Amino acid sequence: MALVLVVDDEFLLATMLADILEDEGYEVETASNGQLALAAVRQRKPDLVITDFMMPTMTGLEFAEAVRADEALSDLPIILVSGAQGAIAREHPQLFQAVFDKPYANRNIIEEVERHVKPTPAG
């Protein structure tokens, strides 16, 4: 089953996105900041990461830079979602497969995830 890591310090938003992705057939883990996410991807490399921008200890931008600098992780697809920093993220297209401004349409996130990794059908 394809694994997606959702990184957001807003617990309810992370949980909501995780629930939506699980309903679509993905295994989902969550992390509450970039530093925890970096540890998580080094422990169990997911198939894709969806990260927020503004978070404590390490921003989504810093997280993505650390992932791209790690040879073992550098090809990991990363989607960024942001309430106010989307423009900054778009200045770094080498870091993110896509950037979505909050609020975003759930269908758009699912379609972008499906472009990079396919869900496992329920059964």
Side-chain angles (χ1 to χ4, degrees):
M1 181 176 278
L3 174 62
V4 176
L5 177 65
V6 174
V7 188
D8 199 321
D9 61 324
E10 296 182 52
F11 174 77
L12 290 176
L13 293 177
T15 300
M16 180 191 72
L17 186 53
D19 288 346
I20 291 167
L21 290 165
E22 287 171 349
D23 287 348
E24 293 293 323
Y26 295 97
E27 179 182 2
V28 181
E29 292 185 1
T30 60
S32 61
N33 63 59
Q35 201 164 37
L36 292 173
L38 194 56
V41 298
R42 287 180 172 152
Q43 182 176 24
R44 184 178 177 210
K45 184 179 177 184
D47 297 288
L48 183 138
V49 174
I50 301 173
T51 183
D52 189 19
F53 190 104
M54 294 297 294
M55 298 179 289
T57 70
M58 179 184 268
T59 68
L61 183 67
E62 293 166 332
F63 166 75
E65 289 171 337
V67 166
R68 296 295 178 246
D70 187 325
E71 189 173 315
L73 302 171
S74 63
D75 63 340
L76 180 62
I78 303 173
I79 297 171
L80 185 121
V81 295
S82 178
Q85 307 297 329
I88 295 172
R90 287 182 184 91
E91 293 173 2
H92 303 278
Q94 74 282 8
L95 297 177
F96 305 105
Q97 272 56 47
V99 176
F100 290 91
D101 295 313
K102 293 179 182 176
Y104 50 79
N106 294 336
R107 188 74 246 157
N108 293 342
I109 292 285
I110 297 300
E111 289 174 1
E112 186 63 29
V113 170
E114 289 174 348
R115 289 183 60 212
H116 303 284
V117 60
K118 298 297 179 199
T120 303

